[in-house]
Amino acid sequence: MFKSNLFPILKDALIVITLSFFFLGDLQAEASSEKIMELRQNIWPATTTLLTETLQRETLKLALVLSGGGARGLAHVGVLQVFEEHGLVPDLIVGNSMGGIIGGFYACGYSAAELEQIADTLHWRELFRDAPSRLSLFLTQRQESENHLLQLRFKGLKPQIPRALTSGQQLTNLVNDLIIRKGVTSDVDFDSLKIPFRAVATDLVSGKQVILSSGDLAQALRATMAVPLAFTPVEAEEKLLVDGGLVDPLPVGVAKDLGIEVVVVVNTTSSLLPKEKMTSPFDIASQATTIMTMEKMQEQLSRAEVVISPVLGFHSNNDFEGVGGMIRAGRRAAEAEISNVESRIRRGTAENGEELIEIEEVSLEGVSDFTLLDLNVELRALQSDAVDLQSIREDLEALLKTGFFSRGEAILKSHPYGKELVYQLQENPTLRRVEICGNSIYPEKQLLGYLSPHCGERLNTARIQQSLRDCLELYLSAGYTLADWTEAEFDTITGTLHLEICEGMVDEIIVEGNKNTRDWVITRALPQEVGSPFNSNLVNRGIENVYSTRLFEQVTYRLEPGSERNKLVISVKERPSQLARFGLCYDSEYKLAGFIEMGETNLLGIGQQVFGKLHLSDRFKRGTLNLKADRLFKTMATYKLRFFYDHGKHHFYQNNRHTSGWKEKRYGMNLAVGQQIARLGTASFEFQIDRADITDY
């Protein structure tokens, strides 16, 4: 039995082509023939392999350098749309800030249309929100209304001032989710993405540019987007990484240093604002940054072959209204320059003096009548009396991409009347049966529903590829983003296609970055379990649950897939756990009152809290000591123990006039014990014992 391995790599839906070129000499024989090219087709290959230098690259290498600009950077999406429409795929993308975010998503597989949909539906203001969603809080957490005016955290006796308006948790969640949905895990070489990519950041410690070319893509994008004061820096060993635009707003040099011949810059940075437009501290900071980088920007613009500058007027960096308008501005600017881009990258065959072969006849061999009826290919060799090697290669690629053939050869036959170009093709055998193993989430019958309709027909690799992608989409839509086809063999004797799917089991969960907090305080909040398939929906919910404990400044995750074990790593950055709160209130009875509350939010590293609070006014004094836990150890039990002492004067009123009153001293304790019902509510009971001394005055 002969078996051919059809799935060496099951990741990218590109065509692996093996080409062999032979020197074209003068053919003098009456009926001689010579094979000039051969291509082989696999079902789900990853790259195109060129085994000879006979065929030169037709175009120069192209790089897109995408600048920052905050909301203005959404114009990059329109530029990418125009490039797609003209069939231009860059060999490299380099991005700063918003350009890094959009470029990174595009490099890992999102289309320009998908990016527009994301930009149009995203609640941009939510990215700047630091507080956890109320839906992620337990009822006992929601009941703690934030009635304080000021909160300070302490490390020892030293107050800790936040380094930015937000830790960027929401932005990090978004980036992580979008990247993992394209199957990109941690510790990757950015050259291995769909399009090679570089993110550019600035190290606040050294003041130098940092080029991120490998590692955790989500953290790289978070770093290049870390606008100072808006988002906290990303810590990487001894570095503090922030927006790369601080030292180089248009990193053309990064692309040039990598050997790119044609660099296209998309410049969405802010121009200098007029005086009346500078109305906020952020406007002033943006203007100062623009002034400091103007000279560097002009230097880099002069090094680019093409500059695309969308007309965005004085649109603010932080104004995310009118997403569609910014994308259209990017389209207009790209359409004005696209012919310039195409002419600069084109290295035509006429320029290189490549020999044209005069053809009298073109024919197909090895194609059955049934397949011939289903073919819909326009051959370039039929469009002219002379053809070059590039056209022949494109013809063979087009024939193999129909999916009907496993191999194609170009044979040049010499006849007395002239030369005949023969495309000799080897048709695939008939597919009779499909078998699937490795599935546990969905039954085999459901998965076969995508593939069984092809049985009884000649094996068509293009249609099989699409069915396999549709099948993976079933997993992806449910959050099983690690699912992938890992093996397939086609038995040419029985006509059976054997498929194996890996659903991406999580073999281990590791917690890092927690110096004081116990591991189980973090893992108890994760719905994702060891031994079950990785599910991004569950992990994202778990990250939100961990962040909602308010013990951490930032919570992220990364996947470390291995040949034997897949690790899910939860990385946390702890907040200082000692804090003080201050507040004021006023009412018509007790007039002005103030309070101070101090305590520990992570007692013994198990998430329990202890607080002392002093509430004072001219007629009322209250002191409390509270000990509470929203979750008791690994259970869903909750409790709150409160000791209190009240001392105050209270008034009697008659006809809206104060007539008399009483003094009250009250002290005691209150214990509430209950059970959290998911994050919907709490079932609890309370017990209180107190003593009150009341006297007239």
Side-chain angles (χ1 to χ4, degrees), residues 541-566:
R541 193 195 316 161
I543 294 299
E544 186 72 17
N545 291 345
V546 175
Y547 185 66
S548 70
T549 64
R550 298 170 176 164
L551 300 177
F552 308 103
E553 179 181 312
Q554 194 169 78
V555 185
T556 61
Y557 76 90
R558 67 178 186 273
L559 283 168
E560 295 184 354
S563 57
E564 297 182 358
R565 296 178 65 82
N566 291 324

Side-chain angles (χ1 to χ4, degrees), residues 335-347:
E335 287 166 351
E337 293 290 343
I338 197 67
S339 59
N340 186 15
V341 175
E342 290 175 324
S343 65
R344 285 182 177 272
I345 67 171
R346 188 180 300 117
R347 181 186 284 157

Side-chain angles (χ1 to χ4, degrees), residues 299-399:
E299 174 192 335
Q300 295 288 46
L301 285 172
S302 66
R303 300 182 64 189
E305 279 66 37
V306 180
V307 177
I308 297 175
S309 299
V311 179
L312 301 168
F314 295 116
H315 195 101
S316 173
N317 289 355
N318 56 9
D319 181 5
F320 287 92
E321 298 296 327
V323 169
M326 287 180 281
I327 293 176
R328 287 191 293 274
R331 285 189 62 90
R332 288 192 294 269
E335 287 166 351
E337 293 290 343
I338 197 67
S339 59
N340 186 15
V341 175
E342 290 175 324
S343 65
R344 285 182 177 272
I345 67 171
R346 188 180 300 117
R347 181 186 284 157
T349 54
E351 297 175 7
N352 294 318
E354 184 174 314
E355 181 181 358
L356 296 177
I357 309 165
E358 293 186 0
I359 301 295
E360 294 294 331
E361 184 180 354
V362 178
S363 61
L364 300 178
E365 293 183 0
V367 184
S368 65
D369 292 340
F370 178 81
T371 302
L372 194 60
L373 291 173
D374 216 4
L375 281 181
N376 184 22
V377 177
E378 293 184 5
L379 299 178
R380 294 188 62 179
L382 291 174
Q383 299 173 11
S384 176
D385 293 334
V387 67
D388 55 25
L389 289 178
Q390 175 66 23
S391 297
I392 294 173
R393 179 176 182 230
E394 290 178 4
D395 281 352
L396 281 178
E397 286 181 345
L399 287 165

Side-chain angles (χ1 to χ4, degrees), residues 441-643:
I441 301 171
Y442 298 106
E444 184 180 13
K445 183 178 180 180
Q446 185 175 357
L447 301 182
L448 286 175
Y450 292 89
L451 296 154
S452 295
H454 303 299
C455 293
E457 302 175 352
R458 190 171 296 280
L459 176 67
N460 186 295
T461 56
R463 294 171 186 172
I464 292 291
Q465 288 169 6
Q466 185 57 52
S467 294
L468 293 174
R469 285 192 291 268
D470 292 343
C471 194
L472 287 181
E473 185 61 32
L474 175 68
Y475 281 86
L476 180 61
S477 62
Y480 298 105
T481 51
L482 286 189
D484 203 357
W485 300 105
T486 55
E487 185 177 332
E489 286 187 347
F490 183 73
D491 190 324
T492 57
I493 296 178
T494 64
T496 302
L497 178 60
H498 302 274
L499 300 170
E500 181 176 346
I501 190 168
C502 174
E503 295 177 332
M505 297 293 178
V506 174
D507 300 299
E508 185 177 3
I509 297 179
I510 299 173
V511 178
E512 66 178 22
N514 51 322
K515 298 179 181 178
N516 301 314
T517 310
R518 311 287 180 90
D519 285 0
W520 56 262
V521 173
I522 297 167
T523 56
R524 72 182 180 183
L526 302 176
Q528 175 72 60
E529 297 179 353
V530 172
S532 61
F534 173 83
N535 187 293
S536 62
N537 296 335
L538 294 179
V539 173
N540 288 335
R541 193 195 316 161
I543 294 299
E544 186 72 17
N545 291 345
V546 175
Y547 185 66
S548 70
T549 64
R550 298 170 176 164
L551 300 177
F552 308 103
E553 179 181 312
Q554 194 169 78
V555 185
T556 61
Y557 76 90
R558 67 178 186 273
L559 283 168
E560 295 184 354
S563 57
E564 297 182 358
R565 296 178 65 82
N566 291 324
K567 298 178 182 178
L568 173 62
V569 181
I570 308 297
S571 181
V572 299
K573 180 177 176 56
E574 291 180 320
R575 298 180 189 268
S577 58
Q578 297 87 29
L579 60 79
R581 296 175 180 143
F582 308 89
L584 292 173
C585 65
Y586 178 86
D587 62 45
S588 59
E589 174 68 17
Y590 296 103
K591 308 304 179 184
L592 186 65
F595 76 85
I596 179 173
E597 183 178 35
M598 302 186 70
E600 166 67 48
T601 60
N602 194 12
L603 186 65
L604 304 177
I606 59 175
Q608 297 200 44
Q609 303 176 28
V610 57
F611 276 96
K613 185 175 182 179
L614 186 61
H615 194 137
L616 299 173
S617 73
D618 61 340
R619 289 172 41 209
F620 187 82
K621 299 178 181 63
R622 171 179 292 167
T624 59
L625 178 65
N626 299 297
L627 183 66
K628 64 164 286 191
D630 296 310
R631 288 187 67 177
L632 190 58
F633 302 109
K634 296 184 180 181
T635 72
M636 295 296 284
T638 179
Y639 82 94
K640 183 176 181 179
L641 178 62
R642 181 168 66 95
F643 298 94

Side-chain angles (χ1 to χ4, degrees), residues 6 13 34 44 127 152 227 279 285 299 376 460 515 613 648 666:
L6 302 176
E34 185 171 355
W44 196 303
L127 299 183
L152 289 176
V227 179
T279 58
E299 174 192 335
N376 184 22
N460 186 295
K515 298 179 181 178
K613 185 175 182 179
R666 183 183 296 271

Side-chain angles (χ1 to χ4, degrees), residues 63 65 92-96 197-200 209-213 248 250-260 263 300 303:
V65 175
L92 174 70
I93 295 177
V94 181
N96 255 345
F197 173 70
R198 296 292 184 273
V200 181
Q209 182 185 74
V210 177
I211 301 169
L212 303 170
S213 60
D248 194 350
L250 297 170
V252 175
V254 176
K256 290 291 186 182
D257 291 345
L258 292 172
I260 298 297
V263 175
Q300 295 288 46
R303 300 182 64 189

